[in-house]
Amino acid sequence: MKVNNQRLMELLAEVNQISSDGEGITRLAYTEQEQTALDWFIEKCRQYAIRTHRDAIGNVFGTIGPESGNGILIGSHLDSVRNGGEYDGALGVVAGLEVLITLAESGEPLDRPVTVVAFRGEEANILGGTFGSRAFCGQIQFDDDFIQRLANTPFTLQQVKETAGTEHYSNYLELHIEQGKKLEASSTDIGIVHAIAGIKRLDVTVHGEAAHSGTMGMNERDDALISTAKILLEFERIVKTFGEPNVGTVGELAVHPNLANVVPGQVDFTLEIRGTDIKMMREIADRFSSYASVHHKVTINPNIEKAPSDLSEKLIATTKQVCKETGVDYQVMMSGANHDANSLAAVMDSGLIFIPCLHGISHNPKEYAAPSNIEKGANVLLGSVLKLAAELN
C-alpha cells in the first residue's frame, strides 16, 4: 500500500493558497487565515467520509476505523510564521490526511482508530509555542502570567481546561521537514528522531552609560553595546567548548536609546541554549552568567526552561523496520527545533520523522522539500501506522 503522492501534493498546494498577502506563507496563529485552513481541513475530511470533530480551542481531528479503542494519532500544525514556507507543519497535516484517505480507499479493516490532527498555535509566541498540543496534553500552567496573556487571545480559561483529551490515544507520529542540513548533506532519505532538544533562555540587560557620541572619548566611555559584543563572543566560546549538539543563540537585541549620536547606555537581549542534556544546558548558562556578572554590569533573569524529550524507543524501532523493509535510507538523529511531538511525548509513545529540506532553509519563503522526498516520508508514515494499527493495545 502506498500514498497517492500526486493527490498529496495537490492538497498541499491547495491549503497553501490560504495565506495573508506578501511573500511566502503567512497563516499566523489565531488569525482568520489559520481558522480558514482549519475549516479547509474539516471540509476535506468530510469529502472523504472521514469523521471529524473540534475540541474546545479549535484543534481539529479526522478519524477512520473503529469508534473506540486506543487510537493512533498523526499530524502537526497549519499555522506558520510570518512570511514562512509551504512545508513547516502543513506537510505533517496533509501527509496525515493522505494516509487516512489511502487507508480508507484500501478497504482494509483497522483494529484501532487512526486520527489525523491539526494543532493550533504551534508557532505562536503569545501563549508560548506548541500551545494547541500542550493544551491537548494538559500541560498548561494556569498561573497569573498565562491568564493575563490569555486575555489577548480568542480563548477562555474554561476552553483551555476543557481541551485536555489524550485518553483515547496511545501513539503519536509526526512527519516534518528537518529544518537543518544533516539529511541533505549525507544524502539520507529519512531522519528518525530520538530526542527533541530542550530550551533554556535567559533575559539579560547590559548596563552602561549613555553619552554624546562626539564628545565622549573612546577611553572614557561605558558603552553597553561594546560590552554586549564581548559578552556574546564569550557566550559563543563557552557553548563551543561543550560540543554538539549544544547550540547557543542571541537573535534579538534592543539597544537604548538606539540613536546614531548617542553611546548606548543599555542593551537588552534574550539568550537561548538548546541541547539534549538539561544538566549540561544549565552548566552553560551558569558559566555564561558567572563570566558576565564578573566582567560586566549586567542583570540576568531566568526566562523559560524546557527539558529535552526522549522519543519512544518503540516507535523508533517501528519506523526503522519500515525503512529497512522498503529500502529507504535513514539515520537516527536529534531535533534542535521544538515540535508538537514534544508535547505528546510526555503522555504517550511519540515519534518524529524527518525528510530533507533544501539547504536546511525553513521559516523562509525559500523553504522547499522535493516531491520525491515527501512521497518517501509519507509512505514511511503510512507503513508505521499500518504496523501500529495491527497491534491491539
Side-chain angles (χ1 to χ4, degrees):
M1 190 185 307
K2 293 185 177 180
V3 301
N4 181 334
N5 201 50
Q6 180 178 343
R7 179 172 57 200
L8 192 164
M9 298 304 298
E10 289 171 354
L11 289 169
L12 188 60
E14 194 173 323
V15 74
N16 281 327
Q17 293 298 310
I18 304 169
S19 176
S20 297
D21 293 337
E23 190 178 8
I25 302 299
T26 300
R27 283 192 300 268
L28 303 183
Y30 324 135
T31 64
E32 177 185 350
Q33 288 74 31
E34 185 198 34
Q35 187 59 59
T36 301
L38 296 169
D39 292 343
W40 171 90
F41 171 89
I42 290 287
E43 179 58 30
K44 285 299 169 185
C45 285
R46 289 173 177 168
Q47 286 180 20
Y48 290 95
I50 297 169
R51 306 190 301 272
T52 65
H53 78 275
R54 301 177 193 255
D55 65 19
I57 63 167
N59 293 324
V60 294
F61 304 80
T63 302
I64 63 171
E67 295 281 351
S68 61
N70 283 331
I72 301 164
L73 194 62
I74 55 178
S76 193
H77 61 97
L78 289 174
D79 66 311
S80 76
V81 297
R82 190 178 302 278
N83 303 122
E86 298 181 356
Y87 305 89
D88 179 3
L91 171 63
V93 174
V94 172
L97 179 57
E98 173 57 31
V99 165
L100 261 64
I101 296 170
T102 301
L103 289 170
E105 287 180 342
S106 75
E108 184 171 323
L110 294 169
D111 294 322
R112 301 174 60 191
V114 181
T115 298
V116 59
V117 58
F119 289 116
R120 301 201 71 171
E122 196 270 354
E123 302 284 7
N125 289 323
I126 188 169
L127 295 174
T130 65
F131 168 66
S133 56
R134 287 186 295 114
F136 175 69
C137 294
Q139 296 170 351
I140 302 298
Q141 299 295 318
F142 297 104
D143 54 21
D144 291 342
D145 178 61
F146 175 80
I147 293 170
Q148 183 177 354
R149 288 183 284 122
L150 187 66
N152 297 313
T153 75
F155 312 119
T156 66
L157 188 61
Q158 187 62 31
Q159 284 175 315
V160 179
K161 290 180 177 179
E162 290 176 358
T163 294
T166 61
E167 64 273 14
H168 301 301
Y169 308 96
S170 57
N171 305 115
Y172 175 75
L173 270 173
E174 181 172 354
L175 178 66
H176 209 283
I177 57 171
E178 181 195 349
Q179 300 177 286
K181 298 181 179 182
K182 288 183 171 60
L183 293 177
E184 183 183 59
S186 61
S187 299
T188 305
D189 296 322
I190 293 292
I192 302 174
V193 179
H194 70 88
I196 297 175
I199 303 173
K200 184 171 181 62
R201 292 178 182 153
L202 301 175
D203 291 326
V204 182
T205 297
V206 182
H207 304 282
E209 186 171 31
H212 194 290
S213 64
T215 59
M216 184 62 70
M218 296 301 291
N219 293 327
E220 301 166 341
R221 299 183 179 199
D222 187 2
D223 188 328
L225 186 55
I226 296 298
S227 293
T228 299
K230 295 175 181 178
I231 289 170
L232 297 189
L233 288 172
E234 179 62 15
F235 174 55
E236 180 185 44
R237 189 198 67 78
I238 291 170
V239 175
K240 285 182 175 179
T241 64
F242 282 80
E244 292 190 357
N246 299 289
V247 292
T249 305
V250 173
E252 183 179 35
L253 292 170
V255 181
H256 308 281
N258 201 31
L259 296 171
N261 62 346
V262 179
V263 175
Q266 180 176 310
V267 176
D268 299 314
F269 62 87
T270 298
L271 174 147
E272 180 187 87
I273 302 159
R274 297 195 185 211
T276 56
D277 184 329
I278 192 64
K279 291 182 179 179
M280 193 174 294
M281 293 162 59
R282 288 170 179 162
E283 187 175 349
I284 292 171
D286 289 344
R287 288 198 189 181
F288 164 81
S289 298
S290 177
Y291 164 80
S293 299
V294 169
H295 297 281
H296 303 275
K297 292 179 289 184
V298 296
T299 301
I300 300 174
N301 290 308
N303 186 303
I304 66 168
E305 180 179 286
K306 294 182 180 180
S309 293
D310 291 326
L311 298 185
S312 165
E313 290 290 342
K314 172 186 172 180
L315 295 194
I316 291 170
T318 299
T319 309
K320 280 182 178 180
Q321 187 177 355
V322 171
C323 289
K324 291 173 182 177
E325 290 174 356
T326 55
V328 175
D329 294 333
Y330 71 89
Q331 64 173 278
V332 178
M333 60 192 300
M334 66 157 283
S335 171
N338 197 16
H339 297 282
D340 289 309
N342 196 22
S343 306
L344 278 294
V347 295
M348 67 182 75
D349 283 330
S350 297
L352 183 58
I353 302 167
F354 280 165
I355 63 169
C357 58
L358 185 64
H359 305 319
I361 294 171
S362 184
H363 285 189
N364 185 313
K366 294 179 182 178
E367 184 179 276
Y368 177 76
S372 59
N373 287 326
I374 289 173
E375 184 173 18
K376 289 175 184 176
N379 279 321
V380 169
L381 179 65
L382 172 61
S384 300
V385 168
L386 283 169
K387 287 189 180 297
L388 293 172
E391 301 175 357
L392 290 175
N393 57 357

